Amino acid sequence: MTSGVESAGRPSWAARRRLSAVFWRRGWLRGLLLLLLPLAFFALIYLAALVVLLISAFWSVDPLTTELVRTWNLDNFKTVFTEPTYRTIAVRTIGIAAAVTVTDAIVALPFAYFMARLASPRMRALLFVLVLLPLWASYLARVYAWRLILAKEGALNWTLDRLGLPTLDIAYSNWAMWIVFSYIWLPFMILPVYAAIERIPDSFLEASTDLGAKGWRTTRSVVLPLAFPGLVAGSIFTFALTLGDYITPTLVGGASSQFIGNVVYANVGIANNVPFAAAYATVPLLVMALYLVVAKRLGAFEAL
Amino acid sequence: MKKARYVMWAALAAFVGVLALTAAGCGGSSGGSSDGGGDTGALPTKIGPGEGALDLIAWEGYTEDQWVKPFEQQTGCQVNAKYAGSSDEMVTLMRQGGGGQYDMVSASGDASLRLIAGGDVQPVNVDLIPGYQDFFEPLKSPPHNTIDGKHYGVSLQWGPNTLLYDTEKVTPAPTSWSAIYDPKYKGEITVPNNPIQIADAALYLSTTQPDLGITDPYELNQDQFDAAVNLLKQQKPLIKKYWGLASDEIDLFKNGDVVLGASWPYQTNTLQADNVPVKDTIPSEGATGWADTWMLSAKAKHPNCAYEWMDWITRPVPQAQQAIFFGETPANTKACAEMDKIDKGSCAKYHGDADQAYFDSIKFWKTPLADCGNGQTDCKDYTAWQQAWTEITG
C-alpha cells in the first residue's frame, strides 16, 4: 500500500491492511475472487447453453403445430447421419473451412516472417495497423463490399476487362465464399504466426548460418518447425470461425453453398424445429473437439 | 515487442467478444408451445380504447411510413413492425415464446390455414370494419381465411408471382416459364429460396406434361410431386442463387449477375425506378400468387389497436398507397379511384379493376395438405415439401 492510501482516514486504512493481509495469507482466496465472475459466467451461460442444446437434440417437434414433443428418441441424429443432403452440407462446410485454413496459412507465413524479422520498427507498426484495420469495420460491411467487387459487372471484372484479360464468373459461388472467408479470417492467422516467429532467438538463425545452411535450409529446418505451433494456433481460429459461419454463405454463396450454420438457422428461425437444429449443431462441435485434440498434440497451445 | 504482444491480446479479446455477441444473437429464441383456444369467447361488438401499441409481423414494404404515420397520429397506437422473409418464418414468429409476442401478421394463404389449424389466430368481427363492405367479392370470405363462416382476419392485397427479365439480354421477350428451365441461361437465373416454389414447377408441368394430370399445383400425389422435384433438381445447375430477400434479387439484377428470375412486382418497380432495363410478365402457363390477410393473434395484447389497424388498412386511401408502393392489387374496390388520383393509370396497371376471371387465373399460395381435395388423401403435405426443398438446395 502506497502513500495514496495512507492519506485516507485511519480506520479505513487499517481495515484495508487487514484485508490485504488475509489475501496474502490465503493465496487461494485471491485466486477465487479473481476467477469467480468469469467462472460463473462460463458455467451459467456457456456450459448451461451447451447442455440444453444437447438435451433438446433428443426431442422432436409436432409437424403440424411445431410444438415441442419431449419424448426421447434418436431420430434427429439418424436423419443427420443418413440423409445424403446433410452429409453433403457437412462435407462442404468442413472442406471449405480446411481450404480457407490452408490458404490463410500460406499467405500469413511470409507476411508474419517479414513483420517479425525483416521490417523496421516503424514498418512493423504500420503493418500491424494494416492487419488489424479491417477488424474495426463491420463484418457485414466487408462481406457486402466483396459482393460488389465480385459481381459480374463489379470492380474485379471491370479491372480485368480494362487490362484486356478475360472476365471471371465467380460471384455467388463456392469460389467467392473461399475468397471472402480467407480474407476475413486472415488477421487471426497472422497474429499467432507472428508471435511464434518473433519468439525464435536470433542465435538459432545465426547458428544455422554458421553451420553452412543457406536461406531455404534455415527456413525449412529452423523457422518452419518453430513457427508451426503458431500456424496450428491460427488454424484453430480460421477453421472454427469458417465452420460456424452462416452469413457469408447467405450473402456471397451460390445455389449450392449451404453451410451447417444455414441449416441450423433455417431450422430455428424458419421451420421452428429446434431439436433438429441442435442435433445438426453437434456435428461442428464434434469436428472442433477432434481438431483441438490434434492441435494440442501438435503443440498449438504453447504458442498462445 | 511488448507492445506487439499487447495488440495481439487486444485482438484476441475483441474476437472473443464478437463470438459472445454472435452466440447471444443465435440463442434468442427457443421453441414455443402454443395451446389452442382460437375461438374462446364471443366476438367484440365495438372497438374499445386503444392500448397505445401494436406489434406486427409483416412482409417487407407492408408497413411504410406514408400509411403507418397517419394511423399512429389518429389512434395513438405505436406500430412496431418485424419483417419476415417467408411464410414459414411468419408462422414460427407467431408461435415463438408461446405466442402473444405479436398482435397481428400479414399472412399469405400458405401460412393462414396453418395458423388457424394451430389455434394461433382468433376470429374477428368484420362488422366493425367498414372497408369490408367494399371488398372485391372473392375476398370477402375466401377459403384461406374464412372457415365455417368465421373470419380469421381481413383480406389485404393480392397479386401474381411474375417472371422478371432483363430486356437487353433476354430476347425475344419470354412468354413461358420454360425460360427459367432453359440451359441457354445457365448461371443467370434466380428463384426464391422457398419450398412453395415446388408449386411453380408443378404449374409449369401441368401444361407441358398433361399426362401427369396436375390440376392444382398445391395438391400433388407422389408421381406429380416427384416430377416437380426432378424438374427443380435439373434446374439447380442453371441457378445463380436462390434469393431470400427481395433486396437480394434486386442486387442480382442490378449488378448483371442474373437476367431471369421468378419475382414479385415490388422488385420490378424498384429496379425500373433505378433505370435498370427490366420488365415482368405473367407467362402463358399462368402464375402462382399471394392473397394476404391481416390476422389477429389468439393471444394479442393490443386487440383494440389491432381492430383500429384493420379498420385503417382496409380504407381506400391506405389500400391505394400500399398497392402502388408494392405493385399489388388492393382488396377494397374503392381504392381504384384513389390509385388513379395518386398516379394516373396505376389502377389498371395493378389490376385494381380486376374481374373474377383474372382472379381465377392466379393459383394462390396455400398450405399443401395430405388431403387432395378430391376424396384422395395421398397428397404430399407441407413437411414433405420442406424436406424436398432442403434436398434440392442442399
Side-chain angles (χ1 to χ4, degrees):
Chain A
M1 294 284 132
T2 52
S3 60
V5 176
E6 275 166 280
S7 67
R10 216 147 223 293
S12 106
W13 178 72
R16 283 197 198 188
R17 273 289 290 264
R18 234 170 315 160
L19 197 66
S20 74
V22 169
F23 279 129
W24 185 79
R25 251 175 282 134
R26 297 187 168 71
W28 58 269
L29 203 63
R30 199 172 30 180
L32 185 74
L33 214 68
L34 278 172
L35 286 178
L36 196 64
L37 195 68
L39 267 184
F41 191 79
F42 184 77
L44 276 176
I45 301 195
Y46 189 75
L47 289 182
L50 266 185
V51 169
V52 170
L53 181 85
L54 284 176
I55 291 175
S56 72
F58 294 95
W59 291 339
S60 57
V61 291
D62 185 301
L64 194 70
T65 61
T66 65
E67 251 179 80
L68 210 55
V69 181
R70 289 183 172 79
T71 42
W72 300 90
N73 65 76
L74 287 170
D75 291 357
N76 288 327
F77 289 98
K78 226 178 276 168
T79 315
V80 165
F81 290 106
T82 54
E83 277 289 332
T85 313
Y86 297 116
R87 222 177 309 147
T88 311
I89 293 172
V91 168
R92 176 188 304 139
T93 310
I94 296 167
I96 289 182
V100 167
T101 302
V102 171
T103 311
D104 277 348
I106 292 172
V107 175
L109 197 66
F111 191 90
Y113 185 83
F114 179 82
M115 243 165 87
R117 296 258 146 217
L118 305 176
S120 65
R122 212 194 164 85
M123 182 67 156
R124 185 178 302 135
L126 183 76
L127 288 176
F128 252 115
V129 171
L130 283 179
V131 169
L132 294 175
L133 202 62
L135 296 180
W136 298 354
S138 151
Y139 169 101
L140 271 181
R142 286 183 287 148
V143 179
Y144 270 114
W146 271 104
R147 198 150 107 150
L148 290 179
I149 293 170
L150 297 174
K152 194 166 196 172
E153 289 163 12
L156 177 70
N157 278 344
W158 185 83
T159 314
L160 287 174
D161 195 46
R162 278 294 159 99
L163 297 173
L165 296 166
T167 56
L168 289 170
D169 189 18
I170 55 168
Y172 305 102
S173 66
N174 290 348
W175 291 108
M177 282 206 292
W178 170 66
I179 292 172
V180 173
F181 273 132
S182 298
Y183 158 76
I184 284 189
W185 306 136
L186 186 60
F188 299 106
M189 180 64 94
I190 290 179
L191 294 177
V193 175
Y194 167 81
I197 294 179
E198 187 228 314
R199 240 188 263 178
I200 303 173
D202 287 338
S203 53
F204 281 30
L205 302 183
E206 282 158 16
S208 175
T209 320
D210 289 346
L211 291 169
K214 294 262 165 53
W216 170 237
R217 183 68 209 263
T218 306
T219 308
R220 212 182 43 184
S221 305
V222 180
V223 177
L224 267 185
L226 289 171
F228 192 66
L231 276 173
V232 180
S235 79
I236 294 172
F237 295 141
T238 55
F239 189 76
L241 289 168
T242 313
L243 204 63
D245 201 274
Y246 69 95
I247 298 169
T248 296
T250 311
L251 294 180
V252 301
S256 308
S257 297
Q258 284 207 77
F259 262 35
I260 292 174
N262 296 94
V263 175
V264 170
Y265 176 77
N267 271 287
V268 174
I270 296 169
N272 207 10
N273 191 343
V274 176
F276 183 77
Y280 204 36
T282 55
V283 174
L285 214 62
L286 288 177
V287 172
M288 224 35 237
L290 209 73
Y291 196 92
L292 287 176
V293 169
V294 175
K296 189 169 169 2
R297 284 275 171 84
L298 295 173
F301 302 110
E302 289 147 33
L304 278 178
Chain B
M1 288 309 100
K2 262 226 173 92
K3 210 164 198 175
R5 200 60 64 65
Y6 179 73
V7 172
M8 195 189 113
W9 284 113
L12 257 183
F15 152 65
V16 170
V18 168
L19 274 191
L21 279 181
T22 315
C26 291
S29 54
S30 62
S33 67
S34 61
D35 27 36
D39 43 29
T40 45
L43 296 176
T45 51
K46 65 177 179 59
I47 304 177
E51 295 89 351
L54 183 63
D55 300 318
L56 304 175
I57 302 168
W59 293 112
E60 195 177 335
Y62 271 29
T63 51
E64 293 297 309
D65 280 351
Q66 49 170 315
W67 60 88
V68 168
K69 282 274 177 279
F71 168 78
E72 290 178 333
Q73 277 157 15
Q74 279 176 31
T75 62
C77 299
Q78 209 61 40
V79 173
N80 308 307
K82 158 127 183 106
Y83 290 147
S86 67
S87 292
D88 293 354
E89 195 178 352
M90 285 188 167
V91 173
T92 296
L93 286 169
M94 281 296 278
R95 288 174 179 169
Q96 259 168 10
Q101 284 182 18
Y102 298 95
D103 299 305
M104 305 192 77
V105 58
S106 65
S108 297
D110 56 331
S112 54
L113 282 182
R114 266 185 278 166
L115 291 168
I116 295 171
D120 304 300
V121 290
Q122 57 174 308
V124 299
N125 184 358
V126 292
D127 295 338
L128 295 177
I129 297 142
Y132 178 82
Q133 299 308 325
D134 300 318
F135 274 9
F136 183 47
E137 203 55 45
L139 288 175
K140 281 189 173 171
S141 301
H144 59 256
N145 68 24
T146 306
I147 307 269
D148 298 333
K150 281 190 192 125
H151 303 278
Y152 292 84
V154 289
S155 295
L156 177 66
Q157 308 262 345
W158 54 284
N161 295 310
T162 52
L163 177 61
L164 180 62
Y165 61 96
D166 189 314
T167 51
E168 285 172 4
K169 287 168 193 152
V170 181
T171 48
T175 54
S176 161
W177 283 111
S178 63
I180 61 168
Y181 304 103
D182 188 348
K184 191 175 146 196
Y185 298 107
K186 186 174 195 300
E188 296 183 304
I189 297 169
T190 183
V191 298
N193 188 3
N194 189 340
I196 209 76
Q197 201 58 28
I198 293 170
D200 284 60
L203 180 71
Y204 172 66
L205 288 176
S206 70
T207 56
T208 53
Q209 289 187 36
D211 314 352
L212 286 166
I214 297 172
T215 51
D216 184 327
Y218 304 94
E219 289 166 353
L220 304 173
N221 64 29
Q222 188 73 53
D223 288 346
Q224 298 164 341
F225 185 74
D226 289 347
V229 170
N230 261 331
L231 177 64
L232 290 170
K233 281 184 178 163
Q234 286 164 21
Q235 184 199 31
K236 189 185 181 184
L238 315 180
I239 300 287
K240 181 96 221 171
K241 187 171 181 64
Y242 293 98
W243 60 267
L245 290 170
S247 47
D248 284 338
E249 187 174 31
I250 291 170
D251 273 358
L252 286 165
F253 270 92
K254 210 185 272 176
N255 295 325
D257 286 303
V258 301
V259 299
L260 269 167
S263 175
W264 303 334
Y266 169 70
Q267 283 89 306
T268 316
N269 283 357
T270 313
L271 284 164
Q272 286 177 344
D274 233 359
N275 295 321
V276 181
V278 294
K279 261 189 187 158
D280 64 8
T281 178
I282 298 177
S284 57
E285 294 90 355
T288 59
W290 71 92
D292 293 343
T293 305
W294 274 114
M295 305 187 95
L296 178 58
S297 166
K299 294 179 182 168
K301 292 196 185 84
H302 314 105
N304 290 326
C305 275
Y307 267 97
E308 294 280 8
W309 176 252
M310 286 189 276
D311 176 359
W312 169 255
I313 202 67
T314 53
R315 289 183 196 181
V317 173
Q319 281 266 302
Q321 287 170 330
Q322 182 174 339
I324 290 172
F325 181 80
F326 196 92
E328 56 190 351
T329 312
N332 190 328
T333 49
K334 286 204 172 148
C336 182
E338 298 296 334
M339 287 171 83
D340 279 337
K341 258 187 233 167
I342 300 170
D343 178 12
K344 188 119 189 75
S346 63
C347 176
K349 185 176 168 196
Y350 300 126
H351 307 282
D353 51 358
D355 56 7
Q356 182 84 35
Y358 173 70
F359 184 81
D360 288 342
S361 74
I362 298 171
K363 304 284 186 190
F364 290 104
W365 280 349
K366 65 182 179 189
T367 309
L369 302 169
D371 182 350
C372 300
N374 57 1
Q376 307 282 59
T377 54
D378 58 350
C379 279
K380 304 304 274 182
D381 66 8
Y382 194 58
T383 315
W385 283 49
Q386 283 175 316
Q387 279 163 0
W389 188 252
T390 311
E391 259 177 58
I392 294 164
T393 58

